[in-house]
Coordinates of all heavy atoms in Angstrom, one line a residue:
L4 N 14.6 -2.8 -11.0 CA 13.9 -2.0 -10.0 C 14.0 -0.5 -10.2 O 15.0 0.0 -10.6 CB 14.5 -2.3 -8.6 CG 14.3 -3.6 -7.9 CD1 15.0 -3.6 -6.6 CD2 12.8 -3.9 -7.7
S5 N 12.9 0.2 -10.0 CA 13.0 1.6 -10.1 C 12.6 2.2 -8.7 O 11.7 1.7 -8.1 CB 12.2 2.2 -11.2 OG 10.8 2.1 -11.0
K6 N 13.3 3.2 -8.3 CA 13.1 3.7 -7.0 C 12.2 5.0 -7.2 O 12.6 5.9 -7.9 CB 14.4 4.1 -6.4 CG 14.4 4.2 -4.9 CD 15.8 4.2 -4.4 CE 15.7 4.3 -2.9 NZ 17.0 4.1 -2.3
V7 N 11.1 5.0 -6.5 CA 10.1 6.1 -6.7 C 9.9 6.8 -5.4 O 9.6 6.2 -4.4 CB 8.7 5.5 -7.2 CG1 7.7 6.6 -7.4 CG2 8.9 4.7 -8.4
R8 N 10.0 8.2 -5.5 CA 9.8 9.0 -4.3 C 8.3 9.1 -4.1 O 7.5 9.5 -5.0 CB 10.4 10.3 -4.4 CG 10.3 11.2 -3.2 CD 10.8 12.6 -3.4 NE 10.5 13.4 -2.2 CZ 9.3 13.9 -1.9 NH1 8.3 13.7 -2.8 NH2 9.1 14.6 -0.8
L9 N 7.8 8.8 -2.9 CA 6.4 8.8 -2.6 C 5.9 10.0 -1.8 O 4.8 10.5 -2.1 CB 6.0 7.5 -1.8 CG 6.3 6.2 -2.5 CD1 5.9 5.1 -1.5 CD2 5.7 6.0 -3.8
A10 N 6.7 10.4 -0.9 CA 6.2 11.5 0.0 C 7.3 11.9 0.9 O 8.4 11.3 1.0 CB 5.1 10.9 0.9
T11 N 7.1 13.1 1.6 CA 7.9 13.5 2.7 C 7.4 12.8 3.9 O 6.2 13.0 4.3 CB 7.8 15.0 2.8 OG1 8.2 15.6 1.6 CG2 8.7 15.6 3.9
A12 N 8.3 12.1 4.6 CA 7.8 11.3 5.8 C 7.0 12.1 6.8 O 5.9 11.7 7.2 CB 9.0 10.6 6.4
A13 N 7.5 13.3 7.1 CA 6.8 14.1 8.1 C 5.4 14.6 7.7 O 4.6 15.0 8.6 CB 7.7 15.3 8.4
D14 N 5.1 14.5 6.4 CA 3.8 15.0 5.9 C 2.7 13.9 6.0 O 1.6 14.1 5.7 CB 3.9 15.4 4.5 CG 4.6 16.7 4.3 OD1 4.9 17.4 5.4 OD2 5.0 17.1 3.2
V15 N 3.2 12.7 6.3 CA 2.2 11.5 6.3 C 1.7 11.2 7.7 O 2.5 10.8 8.5 CB 2.9 10.3 5.7 CG1 1.9 9.2 5.5 CG2 3.5 10.6 4.3
P16 N 0.4 11.4 7.9 CA -0.1 11.2 9.2 C -0.1 9.7 9.6 O -0.1 8.8 8.7 CB -1.6 11.6 9.1 CG -1.7 12.3 7.8 CD -0.6 11.9 6.9
L17 N -0.1 9.4 10.9 CA -0.2 8.1 11.4 C -1.5 7.5 11.0 O -2.5 8.2 10.9 CB 0.0 8.0 12.9 CG 1.3 8.5 13.5 CD1 1.3 8.5 15.0 CD2 2.5 7.8 12.9
D18 N -1.6 6.2 10.8 CA -2.8 5.5 10.5 C -3.5 6.0 9.2 O -4.6 6.4 9.2 CB -3.9 5.6 11.7 CG -3.6 4.6 12.7 OD1 -3.3 3.4 12.4 OD2 -3.7 5.0 13.9
S19 N -2.7 6.1 8.2 CA -3.3 6.7 6.9 C -2.8 5.9 5.7 O -1.9 5.1 5.7 CB -2.9 8.1 6.8 OG -1.5 8.2 6.6
L20 N -3.6 6.0 4.6 CA -3.5 5.3 3.4 C -3.4 6.4 2.3 O -4.2 7.3 2.3 CB -4.7 4.4 3.1 CG -5.0 3.4 4.1 CD1 -6.4 2.8 3.9 CD2 -4.0 2.2 4.0
H21 N -2.4 6.3 1.3 CA -2.3 7.3 0.3 C -2.0 6.6 -1.0 O -1.1 5.8 -1.2 CB -1.1 8.2 0.5 CG -1.2 8.9 1.8 ND1 -1.9 10.1 2.0 CD2 -0.8 8.5 3.1 CE1 -1.8 10.4 3.2 NE2 -1.2 9.5 3.9
R22 N -2.8 6.9 -2.0 CA -2.6 6.4 -3.4 C -1.5 7.2 -4.1 O -1.5 8.5 -4.0 CB -3.9 6.5 -4.2 CG -3.7 6.0 -5.6 CD -5.0 6.2 -6.4 NE -4.8 5.9 -7.8 CZ -5.4 4.9 -8.4 NH1 -6.3 4.2 -7.8 NH2 -5.2 4.7 -9.7
V23 N -0.6 6.5 -4.7 CA 0.5 7.2 -5.5 C 0.5 6.5 -6.9 O 0.7 5.3 -6.9 CB 1.9 7.1 -4.9 CG1 2.9 7.9 -5.7 CG2 1.8 7.7 -3.4
D24 N 0.3 7.2 -7.9 CA 0.3 6.6 -9.3 C 1.8 6.7 -9.8 O 2.3 7.8 -9.9 CB -0.6 7.4 -10.2 CG -2.1 7.1 -9.8 OD1 -2.5 5.9 -9.9 OD2 -2.8 8.1 -9.5
T25 N 2.3 5.6 -10.1 CA 3.7 5.5 -10.7 C 3.5 5.1 -12.1 O 2.5 4.8 -12.6 CB 4.6 4.5 -10.0 OG1 4.2 3.2 -10.4 CG2 4.5 4.6 -8.4
D26 N 4.7 5.2 -12.9 CA 4.6 4.7 -14.3 C 4.2 3.3 -14.4 O 3.6 2.9 -15.4 CB 6.0 4.9 -14.9 CG 6.4 6.4 -15.1 OD1 5.4 7.2 -14.9 OD2 7.6 6.7 -15.3
E27 N 4.5 2.5 -13.4 CA 4.3 1.1 -13.5 C 2.9 0.7 -13.1 O 2.2 0.0 -13.7 CB 5.2 0.3 -12.5 CG 6.7 0.5 -12.9 CD 7.1 0.0 -14.2 OE1 6.6 -1.1 -14.6 OE2 7.8 0.7 -14.9
L28 N 2.4 1.2 -11.9 CA 1.1 0.9 -11.4 C 0.8 1.8 -10.3 O 1.6 2.6 -9.8 CB 1.1 -0.6 -10.9 CG 1.8 -0.9 -9.6 CD1 1.4 -2.3 -9.2 CD2 3.3 -0.8 -9.6
A29 N -0.5 1.7 -9.8 CA -0.9 2.5 -8.7 C -0.5 1.8 -7.4 O -0.8 0.6 -7.3 CB -2.4 2.8 -8.7
I30 N 0.1 2.5 -6.5 CA 0.5 1.8 -5.3 C -0.2 2.6 -4.1 O -0.6 3.7 -4.2 CB 2.0 1.7 -5.1 CG1 2.6 3.1 -5.2 CG2 2.6 0.8 -6.1 CD1 4.1 3.0 -5.1
C31 N -0.2 1.9 -3.0 CA -0.8 2.6 -1.8 C 0.3 2.6 -0.7 O 0.8 1.6 -0.3 CB -2.0 1.7 -1.3 SG -2.7 2.2 0.2
L32 N 0.6 3.8 -0.3 CA 1.5 4.0 0.8 C 0.8 4.0 2.1 O -0.3 4.7 2.2 CB 2.2 5.4 0.6 CG 3.1 5.8 1.8 CD1 4.3 4.8 1.9 CD2 3.6 7.2 1.6
V33 N 1.2 3.1 3.0 CA 0.5 2.9 4.3 C 1.4 3.4 5.4 O 2.7 3.1 5.4 CB 0.3 1.4 4.5 CG1 -0.5 1.2 5.8 CG2 -0.5 0.8 3.3
R34 N 0.9 4.2 6.3 CA 1.6 4.5 7.5 C 0.8 4.0 8.7 O -0.3 4.5 8.9 CB 1.9 6.0 7.7 CG 2.9 6.2 8.8 CD 3.4 7.6 8.9 NE 4.6 7.6 9.7 CZ 5.3 8.7 10.0 NH1 4.8 9.9 9.6 NH2 6.4 8.7 10.7
T35 N 1.4 3.1 9.4 CA 0.7 2.5 10.6 C 0.8 3.4 11.8 O 1.6 4.3 11.8 CB 1.2 1.1 10.8 OG1 2.6 1.1 10.9 CG2 0.7 0.1 9.7
G36 N 0.0 3.1 12.8 CA 0.0 3.9 14.0 C 1.3 4.0 14.7 O 1.6 4.9 15.5
D37 N 2.2 3.0 14.5 CA 3.5 3.0 15.2 C 4.5 3.8 14.4 O 5.7 3.8 14.8 CB 4.0 1.6 15.4 CG 4.1 0.8 14.1 OD1 4.0 1.4 13.0 OD2 4.3 -0.4 14.2
G38 N 4.1 4.4 13.3 CA 5.0 5.3 12.5 C 5.7 4.6 11.4 O 6.4 5.3 10.6
N39 N 5.5 3.3 11.2 CA 6.2 2.6 10.1 C 5.5 2.8 8.8 O 4.3 3.1 8.8 CB 6.3 1.1 10.4 CG 7.3 0.8 11.5 OD1 8.3 1.4 11.6 ND2 7.0 -0.2 12.4
F40 N 6.3 2.7 7.7 CA 5.7 2.8 6.4 C 5.7 1.4 5.7 O 6.7 0.7 5.8 CB 6.6 3.8 5.6 CG 6.4 5.2 6.0 CD1 7.3 5.7 6.9 CD2 5.4 6.0 5.5 CE1 7.2 7.1 7.3 CE2 5.3 7.3 5.9 CZ 6.2 7.9 6.8
Y41 N 4.7 1.2 4.9 CA 4.6 0.0 4.1 C 4.0 0.4 2.7 O 3.3 1.4 2.6 CB 3.7 -1.1 4.7 CG 4.2 -1.5 6.1 CD1 3.6 -0.9 7.2 CD2 5.2 -2.4 6.3 CE1 4.1 -1.2 8.5 CE2 5.7 -2.7 7.5 CZ 5.1 -2.1 8.6 OH 5.6 -2.4 9.9
C42 N 4.3 -0.5 1.7 CA 3.8 -0.1 0.4 C 3.2 -1.4 -0.2 O 3.8 -2.5 -0.2 CB 5.0 0.4 -0.4 SG 4.5 1.1 -1.9
I43 N 1.9 -1.3 -0.7 CA 1.2 -2.4 -1.3 C 0.6 -1.9 -2.6 O 0.5 -0.7 -2.9 CB 0.1 -2.8 -0.4 CG1 -0.9 -1.7 -0.1 CG2 0.6 -3.5 0.9 CD1 -2.1 -2.0 0.8
Q44 N 0.3 -2.8 -3.5 CA -0.4 -2.4 -4.7 C -1.8 -1.8 -4.3 O -2.4 -2.2 -3.3 CB -0.7 -3.6 -5.6 CG -1.8 -4.6 -5.1 CD -1.9 -5.8 -6.0 OE1 -1.0 -6.6 -6.2 NE2 -3.1 -5.9 -6.6
D45 N -2.2 -0.8 -5.1 CA -3.4 -0.1 -4.7 C -4.7 -0.8 -5.0 O -5.7 -0.7 -4.4 CB -3.4 1.3 -5.3 CG -4.5 2.2 -4.7 OD1 -4.6 2.4 -3.5 OD2 -5.4 2.6 -5.5
Q46 N -4.6 -1.6 -6.1 CA -5.8 -2.2 -6.6 C -6.1 -3.5 -5.8 O -5.2 -4.4 -5.6 CB -5.8 -2.6 -8.0 CG -7.1 -3.1 -8.6 CD -7.1 -3.4 -10.0 OE1 -6.3 -2.9 -10.8 NE2 -8.0 -4.3 -10.4
C47 N -7.3 -3.7 -5.3 CA -7.7 -4.9 -4.6 C -7.5 -6.1 -5.6 O -7.7 -5.9 -6.8 CB -9.1 -4.8 -4.2 SG -9.8 -6.2 -3.2
T48 N -7.2 -7.3 -5.0 CA -7.0 -8.4 -5.9 C -8.4 -9.1 -6.2 O -8.4 -10.1 -6.9 CB -6.1 -9.5 -5.3 OG1 -6.6 -9.9 -4.1 CG2 -4.7 -8.9 -5.2
H49 N -9.4 -8.6 -5.6 CA -10.8 -9.2 -5.8 C -11.4 -8.6 -7.1 O -11.7 -9.3 -8.0 CB -11.7 -9.0 -4.6 CG -13.0 -9.6 -4.8 ND1 -14.2 -8.8 -4.6 CD2 -13.4 -10.8 -5.1 CE1 -15.2 -9.6 -4.8 NE2 -14.8 -10.8 -5.2
E50 N -11.7 -7.3 -7.0 CA -12.2 -6.6 -8.2 C -11.5 -5.3 -8.3 O -10.4 -5.1 -7.8 CB -13.7 -6.5 -8.2 CG -14.4 -7.8 -8.5 CD -15.9 -7.8 -8.4 OE1 -16.5 -6.7 -8.4 OE2 -16.5 -8.9 -8.4
N51 N -12.2 -4.3 -8.9 CA -11.5 -3.0 -9.2 C -11.8 -2.0 -8.1 O -12.7 -1.1 -8.3 CB -11.8 -2.6 -10.6 CG -10.9 -1.5 -11.0 OD1 -9.9 -1.2 -10.4 ND2 -11.2 -0.8 -12.2
A52 N -11.1 -2.1 -7.0 CA -11.3 -1.0 -6.0 C -9.9 -0.6 -5.5 O -9.0 -1.3 -5.6 CB -12.1 -1.6 -4.8
S53 N -9.9 0.7 -5.1 CA -8.7 1.3 -4.7 C -8.5 1.1 -3.2 O -9.4 1.7 -2.4 CB -8.7 2.8 -5.1 OG -7.5 3.4 -4.7
L54 N -7.5 0.4 -2.7 CA -7.4 0.2 -1.3 C -7.1 1.4 -0.5 O -7.4 1.5 0.7 CB -6.3 -0.9 -1.0 CG -6.7 -2.3 -1.6 CD1 -5.5 -3.3 -1.4 CD2 -7.9 -2.8 -0.8
S55 N -6.6 2.4 -1.2 CA -6.3 3.7 -0.5 C -7.6 4.4 -0.1 O -7.6 5.3 0.8 CB -5.4 4.6 -1.3 OG -5.9 4.8 -2.6
D56 N -8.7 3.9 -0.6 CA -10.0 4.4 -0.2 C -10.6 3.5 0.9 O -11.8 3.8 1.3 CB -11.0 4.4 -1.4 CG -10.7 5.5 -2.4 OD1 -10.0 6.5 -2.1 OD2 -11.0 5.3 -3.6
G57 N -9.9 2.6 1.3 CA -10.4 1.6 2.3 C -10.1 2.1 3.7 O -9.9 3.3 4.0
Y58 N -10.0 1.1 4.6 CA -9.9 1.4 6.1 C -8.7 0.7 6.7 O -8.5 -0.5 6.4 CB -11.2 1.0 6.8 CG -12.4 1.4 6.0 CD1 -13.0 0.5 5.2 CD2 -12.8 2.7 6.1 CE1 -14.1 1.0 4.4 CE2 -13.9 3.2 5.4 CZ -14.6 2.3 4.5 OH -15.6 2.7 3.8
L59 N -7.9 1.4 7.4 CA -6.7 0.8 8.0 C -7.0 0.6 9.5 O -7.4 1.5 10.2 CB -5.5 1.7 7.8 CG -4.2 1.2 8.4 CD1 -3.7 0.0 7.7 CD2 -3.1 2.3 8.3
T60 N -6.8 -0.7 10.0 CA -6.8 -1.0 11.4 C -5.6 -1.7 11.8 O -5.4 -2.9 11.3 CB -8.1 -1.8 11.7 OG1 -9.2 -1.2 11.2 CG2 -8.3 -2.0 13.2
G61 N -4.8 -1.1 12.6 CA -3.5 -1.8 12.9 C -2.7 -1.9 11.6 O -2.4 -1.0 11.0
T62 N -2.4 -3.2 11.3 CA -1.6 -3.5 10.0 C -2.5 -4.2 9.0 O -2.0 -4.8 8.1 CB -0.4 -4.3 10.3 OG1 -0.8 -5.6 10.9 CG2 0.6 -3.6 11.2
E63 N -3.8 -4.0 9.2 CA -4.8 -4.6 8.2 C -5.5 -3.5 7.5 O -6.1 -2.6 8.1 CB -5.7 -5.5 9.1 CG -6.5 -6.4 8.2 CD -7.3 -7.4 9.1 OE1 -6.7 -8.4 9.5 OE2 -8.4 -7.1 9.5
V64 N -5.6 -3.7 6.1 CA -6.4 -2.8 5.3 C -7.6 -3.5 4.8 O -7.5 -4.7 4.4 CB -5.5 -2.2 4.1 CG1 -5.1 -3.3 3.2 CG2 -6.3 -1.1 3.4
E65 N -8.8 -2.8 4.9 CA -10.0 -3.4 4.5 C -10.5 -2.7 3.2 O -10.5 -1.5 3.1 CB -11.1 -3.2 5.6 CG -12.4 -3.9 5.2 CD -13.5 -3.6 6.3 OE1 -13.1 -3.7 7.5 OE2 -14.6 -3.3 5.9
C66 N -10.8 -3.5 2.2 CA -11.3 -2.9 0.9 C -12.6 -2.2 1.1 O -13.5 -2.8 1.8 CB -11.4 -4.1 -0.1 SG -12.0 -3.5 -1.7
P67 N -12.8 -1.1 0.4 CA -14.0 -0.3 0.6 C -15.2 -1.0 -0.1 O -16.4 -0.7 0.1 CB -13.7 1.0 0.0 CG -12.6 0.8 -1.0 CD -11.8 -0.4 -0.4
L68 N -14.9 -1.9 -1.1 CA -16.0 -2.4 -1.9 C -16.7 -3.7 -1.3 O -17.9 -3.7 -1.2 CB -15.4 -2.7 -3.3 CG -16.4 -2.8 -4.5 CD1 -17.3 -1.5 -4.5 CD2 -15.7 -2.9 -5.8
H69 N -16.0 -4.7 -1.0 CA -16.6 -5.9 -0.5 C -15.9 -6.4 0.8 O -16.0 -7.6 1.2 CB -16.6 -7.1 -1.5 CG -17.0 -6.7 -2.9 ND1 -16.2 -6.6 -3.9 CD2 -18.3 -6.4 -3.3 CE1 -16.8 -6.2 -5.0 NE2 -18.1 -6.1 -4.7
S70 N -15.2 -5.5 1.4 CA -14.6 -5.8 2.7 C -13.6 -6.9 2.8 O -13.4 -7.4 3.9 CB -15.7 -6.0 3.7 OG -16.6 -4.9 3.8
S71 N -12.9 -7.2 1.7 CA -11.7 -8.1 1.9 C -10.7 -7.4 2.7 O -10.6 -6.2 2.7 CB -11.1 -8.4 0.5 OG -11.9 -9.3 -0.2
S72 N -9.9 -8.2 3.5 CA -8.8 -7.5 4.2 C -7.5 -8.2 3.9 O -7.4 -9.4 3.6 CB -9.2 -7.4 5.7 OG -9.5 -8.7 6.2
F73 N -6.5 -7.4 4.1 CA -5.1 -7.8 3.7 C -4.1 -7.3 4.8 O -4.4 -6.2 5.3 CB -4.7 -7.2 2.4 CG -5.5 -7.5 1.2 CD1 -6.6 -6.7 0.9 CD2 -5.3 -8.6 0.4 CE1 -7.4 -7.0 -0.2 CE2 -6.1 -8.9 -0.7 CZ -7.2 -8.1 -1.0
D74 N -3.1 -8.1 5.0 CA -2.0 -7.6 5.9 C -1.1 -6.7 5.1 O -0.6 -7.1 4.0 CB -1.2 -8.8 6.4 CG -0.2 -8.5 7.4 OD1 0.7 -7.6 7.1 OD2 -0.2 -9.1 8.5
V75 N -0.9 -5.5 5.5 CA -0.1 -4.5 4.7 C 1.4 -4.8 4.8 O 2.1 -4.4 3.9 CB -0.3 -3.1 5.2 CG1 -1.8 -2.7 5.0 CG2 0.2 -2.8 6.6
I76 N 1.8 -5.7 5.7 CA 3.3 -6.0 5.8 C 3.6 -7.1 4.8 O 4.6 -7.0 4.1 CB 3.6 -6.4 7.2 CG1 3.3 -5.3 8.2 CG2 5.1 -6.8 7.3 CD1 3.5 -5.6 9.7
T77 N 2.8 -8.2 4.8 CA 3.1 -9.3 3.9 C 2.2 -9.4 2.7 O 2.6 -10.1 1.7 CB 2.8 -10.6 4.7 OG1 1.3 -10.7 5.0 CG2 3.5 -10.7 6.0
G78 N 1.1 -8.6 2.6 CA 0.2 -8.7 1.5 C -0.8 -9.8 1.6 O -1.6 -9.9 0.7
S79 N -0.7 -10.7 2.6 CA -1.5 -11.9 2.6 C -3.0 -11.5 2.9 O -3.3 -10.5 3.5 CB -1.0 -12.9 3.6 OG -1.1 -12.3 4.9
V80 N -3.9 -12.3 2.4 CA -5.3 -12.1 2.6 C -5.7 -12.5 4.0 O -5.4 -13.6 4.5 CB -6.1 -13.0 1.6 CG1 -7.6 -12.9 1.8 CG2 -5.8 -12.7 0.2
S81 N -6.4 -11.6 4.7 CA -6.8 -11.9 6.1 C -8.3 -12.0 6.1 O -8.9 -12.2 7.2 CB -6.2 -11.0 7.1 OG -6.4 -9.7 6.7
G82 N -9.0 -11.7 5.0 CA -10.5 -11.7 5.0 C -11.0 -11.8 3.6 O -10.6 -11.1 2.8
L83 N -11.9 -12.8 3.4 CA -12.5 -13.0 2.1 C -13.4 -11.8 1.7 O -13.8 -11.0 2.6 CB -13.3 -14.3 2.1 CG -12.5 -15.5 2.4 CD1 -13.4 -16.7 2.6 CD2 -11.4 -15.8 1.3
P84 N -13.8 -11.6 0.4 CA -13.8 -12.6 -0.7 C -12.5 -12.7 -1.4 O -12.3 -13.6 -2.3 CB -14.9 -12.2 -1.6 CG -15.0 -10.7 -1.4 CD -14.7 -10.5 0.1
A85 N -11.6 -11.8 -1.3 CA -10.3 -11.9 -2.1 C -9.6 -13.1 -1.7 O -9.6 -13.6 -0.5 CB -9.4 -10.6 -1.8
Q86 N -8.9 -13.7 -2.7 CA -8.1 -14.9 -2.4 C -6.6 -14.8 -2.7 O -5.8 -15.6 -2.3 CB -8.7 -16.1 -3.1 CG -10.1 -16.4 -2.7 CD -10.6 -17.7 -3.2 OE1 -9.9 -18.6 -3.6 NE2 -11.9 -17.8 -3.2
I87 N -6.3 -13.7 -3.6 CA -5.0 -13.6 -4.1 C -4.3 -12.5 -3.2 O -4.8 -11.4 -3.0 CB -5.0 -13.1 -5.5 CG1 -5.8 -14.2 -6.4 CG2 -3.6 -12.9 -6.1 CD1 -6.2 -13.7 -7.7
P88 N -3.1 -12.8 -2.8 CA -2.4 -11.8 -2.0 C -2.0 -10.5 -2.8 O -1.9 -10.6 -4.0 CB -1.1 -12.5 -1.5 CG -1.0 -13.8 -2.2 CD -2.3 -14.0 -2.9
L89 N -1.8 -9.5 -2.1 CA -1.3 -8.2 -2.7 C 0.2 -8.3 -3.0 O 0.9 -8.9 -2.2 CB -1.5 -7.0 -1.8 CG -3.0 -6.7 -1.4 CD1 -2.9 -5.6 -0.3 CD2 -3.8 -6.2 -2.6
R90 N 0.6 -7.5 -4.0 CA 2.1 -7.3 -4.1 C 2.5 -6.3 -3.1 O 1.7 -5.3 -2.8 CB 2.4 -6.7 -5.5 CG 2.2 -7.7 -6.6 CD 2.4 -7.0 -8.0 NE 3.8 -6.7 -8.1 CZ 4.3 -5.9 -9.1 NH1 3.5 -5.4 -10.0 NH2 5.6 -5.7 -9.2
T91 N 3.6 -6.5 -2.5 CA 4.2 -5.5 -1.6 C 5.5 -5.0 -2.1 O 6.2 -5.7 -2.9 CB 4.4 -6.1 -0.2 OG1 5.4 -7.2 -0.3 CG2 3.2 -6.6 0.4
F92 N 5.9 -3.8 -1.7 CA 7.2 -3.2 -2.3 C 8.0 -2.7 -1.1 O 7.5 -2.1 -0.2 CB 6.8 -2.0 -3.2 CG 5.8 -2.4 -4.3 CD1 4.5 -2.3 -4.1 CD2 6.3 -3.0 -5.4 CE1 3.6 -2.6 -5.1 CE2 5.4 -3.4 -6.4 CZ 4.0 -3.2 -6.2
P93 N 9.3 -2.9 -1.2 CA 10.2 -2.4 -0.1 C 10.2 -0.9 0.0 O 10.1 -0.2 -1.0 CB 11.6 -2.9 -0.5 CG 11.4 -3.9 -1.6 CD 10.1 -3.6 -2.2
V94 N 10.2 -0.4 1.2 CA 10.2 1.0 1.5 C 11.5 1.4 2.1 O 12.0 0.7 2.9 CB 9.0 1.4 2.4 CG1 9.1 2.9 2.8 CG2 7.7 1.0 1.8
D95 N 12.0 2.6 1.6 CA 13.2 3.2 2.2 C 12.9 4.6 2.6 O 12.2 5.3 1.9 CB 14.3 3.3 1.1 CG 15.1 2.1 1.0 OD1 15.2 1.3 1.9 OD2 15.7 1.9 -0.1
I96 N 13.5 5.0 3.8 CA 13.4 6.4 4.2 C 14.8 7.0 4.0 O 15.8 6.4 4.6 CB 13.0 6.5 5.6 CG1 11.8 5.7 6.0 CG2 12.7 8.0 6.0 CD1 10.5 6.1 5.4
E97 N 14.9 8.0 3.2 CA 16.2 8.6 3.0 C 16.1 10.2 3.1 O 15.3 10.7 2.4 CB 16.8 8.3 1.6 CG 17.4 7.0 1.5 CD 17.8 6.7 0.1 OE1 18.1 7.6 -0.7 OE2 17.9 5.5 -0.2
D98 N 16.8 10.7 4.0 CA 16.8 12.2 4.2 C 15.4 12.7 4.4 O 15.0 13.7 3.9 CB 17.5 12.9 3.0 CG 18.9 12.6 2.9 OD1 19.5 12.3 4.0 OD2 19.5 12.6 1.8
G99 N 14.6 11.9 5.1 CA 13.2 12.4 5.4 C 12.2 12.1 4.3 O 11.0 12.5 4.5
D100 N 12.6 11.5 3.2 CA 11.7 11.2 2.1 C 11.4 9.7 2.1 O 12.3 8.9 2.5 CB 12.3 11.6 0.8 CG 12.3 13.1 0.6 OD1 11.4 13.8 1.2 OD2 13.1 13.6 -0.1
V101 N 10.2 9.4 1.7 CA 9.8 8.0 1.6 C 9.9 7.5 0.1 O 9.4 8.1 -0.7 CB 8.4 7.8 2.1 CG1 8.0 6.3 2.2 CG2 8.1 8.5 3.4
F102 N 10.6 6.4 -0.1 CA 10.8 5.8 -1.4 C 10.3 4.4 -1.4 O 10.4 3.7 -0.4 CB 12.3 5.8 -1.8 CG 12.9 7.1 -2.0 CD1 13.4 7.8 -0.9 CD2 12.9 7.7 -3.2 CE1 14.0 9.0 -1.0 CE2 13.5 9.0 -3.4 CZ 14.1 9.6 -2.3
A103 N 9.8 3.9 -2.6 CA 9.4 2.5 -2.7 C 10.3 2.0 -3.9 O 10.6 2.7 -4.8 CB 8.0 2.3 -3.0
E104 N 10.6 0.7 -3.8 CA 11.3 0.1 -4.9 C 10.3 -0.7 -5.7 O 9.7 -1.7 -5.2 CB 12.4 -0.8 -4.4 CG 13.5 0.0 -3.9 CD 14.8 -0.8 -3.5 OE1 14.8 -2.0 -3.8 OE2 15.6 -0.2 -2.8
I105 N 10.0 -0.3 -6.9 CA 9.0 -0.9 -7.8 C 9.7 -1.7 -8.8 O 10.6 -1.3 -9.5 CB 8.1 0.2 -8.5 CG1 7.7 1.3 -7.5 CG2 7.0 -0.4 -9.2 CD1 6.7 0.8 -6.5
E106 N 9.2 -3.0 -8.9 CA 9.8 -3.9 -10.0 C 9.3 -3.4 -11.3 O 8.1 -3.3 -11.6 CB 9.2 -5.2 -9.7 CG 10.2 -6.3 -9.7 CD 9.6 -7.6 -9.2 OE1 9.4 -7.8 -8.0 OE2 9.1 -8.4 -10.1
T107 N 10.2 -3.2 -12.2 CA 9.8 -2.8 -13.6 C 9.7 -4.1 -14.4 O 10.4 -5.0 -14.2 CB 10.9 -1.9 -14.2 OG1 12.2 -2.4 -14.0 CG2 10.8 -0.5 -13.6
S108 N 8.7 -4.0 -15.3 CA 8.4 -5.3 -16.0 C 9.2 -5.3 -17.3 O 9.8 -4.3 -17.7 CB 6.9 -5.4 -16.3 OG 6.4 -4.2 -16.7
Ligands
LIG204 S1 -13.0 -5.3 -4.8 FE1 -12.0 -5.5 -2.9 S2 -13.2 -7.0 -1.9 FE2 -14.1 -6.8 -3.8

């Protein structure tokens, strides 16, 4: 596992999606309206779209390309055409900074 700093927590607005490119892969930092942070792979599992360009409603992200939707907490598919769940990554808040634990291959 490598721990990657993603953002300063206070700088991330509620109900927002942010792409962060790491050495391993592009990830999407999600902040839901209740203030919690989640981390998912940025690329849609259907085709090549960046979920950080999509739409967040509650804990569901909708892909901007063909409108698949996914639960940002579990990564599970909640709307077709995608069928493969997203990878999710544990998030830690330390001293006001947001970190994700990314599995190194
Ligand atoms: S690329 Fe995301 S739904 Fe098709």
Side-chain angles (χ1 to χ4, degrees):
L4 286 181
S5 67
K6 199 163 179 171
V7 181
R8 184 184 172 283
L9 302 179
T11 301
D14 290 348
V15 183
L17 299 179
D18 278 318
S19 66
L20 303 164
H21 302 273
R22 180 183 171 119
V23 181
D24 290 300
T25 73
D26 292 344
E27 301 297 320
L28 77 169
I30 57 183
C31 176
L32 174 64
V33 181
R34 189 169 202 187
T35 48
D37 58 11
N39 287 323
F40 289 94
Y41 302 96
C42 194
I43 55 179
Q44 73 182 63
D45 189 58
Q46 188 180 332
C47 184
T48 60
H49 179 235
E50 284 178 14
N51 193 8
S53 180
L54 293 174
S55 52
D56 291 334
Y58 314 97
L59 180 67
T60 306
T62 58
E63 193 171 274
V64 63
E65 182 184 320
C66 177
L68 202 49
H69 313 107
S70 303
S71 287
S72 53
F73 302 89
D74 184 305
V75 301
I76 302 175
T77 64
S79 64
V80 177
S81 50
L83 299 173
Q86 299 191 19
I87 302 167
L89 297 173
R90 292 177 67 190
T91 61
F92 306 95
V94 175
D95 270 339
I96 313 291
E97 279 175 27
D98 296 331
D100 288 331
V101 188
F102 294 87
E104 289 186 12
I105 311 291
E106 230 172 275
T107 46
S108 42

